[in-house]
Amino acid sequence: MEAADREAATSAHRIQELQATIQGLDATVALQDATIKEPPPPPGQIPGFSNFLEREVVIARIIPFVRELCQDSSQHVRAALAIQITGLAPLLGNDATIEHLLPLFLHLLKDEFPEVRLNIISKLDQVNEVIGIQLLADSLLPAIVELAEDKSWRVRQAIIEYIPLLATQLGKPFFDEQLAGLCMSWLGDTVYSIREAATINLKKLTEVFGVECARSVIVPRVVNLGARPNYLYRMTTVQAIGTIAPSLDFEIVRNETLEALLHLAADPIPNIRFNVAKSLEVVATTYGTTPEGKELVLQRIAPALDELKADQDADVRYFATHAIQRTQVTIGA
């Protein structure tokens, strides 16, 4: 308990020291710009306060202290810094950000405490706006790839949410070479929130690169997971198809994903079977309004849902019944 108290006291002292340093720049601000009508932001908000300073002052007075805080013994100080440090990038501009901030970002991305890593990842978009995604990726991609397998699931999730931005800016060749395998690996994560985020990520990537990319890169890997012995992979296939189906086209759904769902409708795990019912509902309500979609529903989806409606498991019966009702409304039956 005493050790914890000492650490808290040290953290508080370091934060107070930071505030004192910022407060000490008040006179500099007043001398630099006597026309400032708005008071500086509250102490502790480094980017907000630095906005009132010339770039040279930020580099000479703020950056050395920020660099020192990156090495602070308190994880709480480093975590607080990680939230604010990226906000300095727009103030410093391209060259100064590359010289002074990128090494600090990389250092914080490798911090031993997950909260520090998470905080720096969640703010990288501010850096991207200044130096561009290509340079940011070239500088930090190795660390980002390493964090894809971080022991903290929250860090892994933050990386997943950052991938669509990287993919959008860097293009399909870069995605295929550097990120595709990474995105698919998350589908087998042991944490449900990660698998769910991974399927949403695939939907966003389909919208970014188009259905042909989904046909060649995403759909085959998703479908192949459905044949794995581990039920988590089979569950991921079912949920992923239900998530990305609205972003695909009818031909891909009919010819390449539906068969996987129908096969898994007979899976021995009830949770998989009732998720099949939910995904079949998505497919039916998304594509059942066209003549060819209605035909597909009547010939293949409706019979599968009827079988699930008679399942021995109550949850499977419930979701199948709900899917049938929604499907009938869609096709006008």
Side-chain angles (χ1 to χ4, degrees):
M1 188 66 180
E2 293 180 359
D5 291 340
R6 284 197 299 271
E7 181 182 355
T10 301
S11 300
H13 174 72
R14 297 296 289 149
I15 294 173
Q16 290 172 357
E17 192 177 16
L18 171 61
Q19 293 173 344
T21 298
I22 295 175
Q23 288 173 329
L25 293 170
D26 282 347
T28 305
V29 176
L31 289 173
Q32 285 182 345
D33 189 357
T35 65
I36 293 179
K37 298 179 180 180
E38 297 294 330
Q45 296 183 1
I46 298 176
F49 185 85
S50 298
N51 193 45
F52 290 88
L53 303 174
E54 291 183 356
R55 183 182 306 171
E56 291 74 17
V57 176
V58 175
I59 293 173
R61 300 290 301 277
I62 298 290
I63 293 299
F65 196 64
V66 168
R67 190 176 293 115
E68 182 181 344
L69 289 176
C70 283
Q71 306 289 340
D72 197 275
S73 60
S74 169
Q75 70 202 65
H76 305 294
V77 171
R78 299 196 304 277
L81 175 68
I83 294 176
Q84 300 190 35
I85 187 174
T86 56
L88 289 172
L91 308 179
L92 294 181
N94 186 292
D95 293 341
T97 294
I98 295 170
E99 180 181 355
H100 297 288
L101 292 184
L102 273 185
L104 302 182
F105 298 154
L106 187 58
H107 177 79
L108 292 171
L109 280 173
K110 295 181 178 181
D111 196 277
E112 62 179 316
F113 288 96
E115 186 177 2
V116 179
R117 303 191 296 272
L118 179 63
N119 288 350
I120 197 72
I121 293 166
S122 65
K123 299 292 185 178
L124 284 178
D125 59 316
Q126 294 176 302
V127 185
N128 166 50
E129 293 174 1
V130 175
I131 68 173
I133 195 69
Q134 181 68 59
L135 181 57
L136 181 64
D138 290 345
S139 303
L140 303 181
L141 186 62
I144 290 174
V145 171
E146 184 177 341
L147 291 174
E149 299 179 349
D150 196 273
K151 61 185 177 181
S152 168
W153 70 267
R154 292 191 303 147
V155 172
R156 299 198 301 276
Q157 185 171 17
I159 289 292
I160 293 173
E161 293 169 354
Y162 188 61
I163 289 297
L165 172 62
L166 282 174
T168 300
Q169 299 292 329
L170 296 178
K172 186 176 180 297
F174 181 91
F175 170 76
D176 290 344
E177 181 180 349
Q178 302 283 354
L179 301 177
L182 202 58
C183 293
M184 302 309 300
S185 69
W186 285 314
L187 293 173
D189 198 280
T190 56
V191 177
Y192 173 76
S193 295
I194 299 299
R195 299 195 302 274
E196 182 181 39
T199 61
I200 295 172
N201 180 53
L202 294 182
K203 182 178 188 295
K204 292 179 179 178
L205 291 172
T206 298
E207 293 167 352
V208 168
F209 293 130
V211 295
E212 287 308 314
C213 174
R215 185 198 301 269
S216 61
V217 178
I218 295 174
V219 170
R221 301 188 187 192
V222 168
V223 170
N224 287 340
L225 289 177
R228 300 284 287 273
N230 189 322
Y231 85 95
L232 290 178
Y233 287 104
R234 303 198 303 277
M235 177 72 81
T236 298
T237 290
V238 174
Q239 293 175 330
I241 291 175
T243 300
I244 67 175
S247 299
L248 300 174
D249 62 26
F250 178 74
E251 293 300 322
I252 295 177
V253 171
R254 179 180 61 184
N255 299 330
E256 301 180 39
T257 65
L258 182 58
E259 192 60 41
L261 284 180
L262 296 177
H263 175 74
L264 290 168
D267 196 275
I269 305 296
N271 279 11
I272 292 179
R273 298 199 299 277
F274 78 63
N275 274 283
V276 167
K278 293 164 69 173
S279 291
L280 287 175
E281 177 186 332
V282 171
V283 173
T285 55
T286 300
Y287 297 98
T289 56
T290 65
E292 57 184 2
K294 182 175 181 179
E295 181 181 0
L296 182 68
V297 170
L298 292 173
Q299 291 184 357
R300 305 197 67 191
I301 295 178
L305 288 174
D306 285 338
E307 289 189 21
L308 291 172
K309 185 181 177 181
D311 195 275
Q312 60 183 355
D313 184 270
D315 289 331
V316 177
R317 294 196 300 272
Y318 170 81
F319 285 106
T321 300
H322 183 272
I324 290 171
Q325 293 170 348
R326 290 286 312 280
T327 297
Q328 288 175 340
V329 171
T330 300
I331 65 175

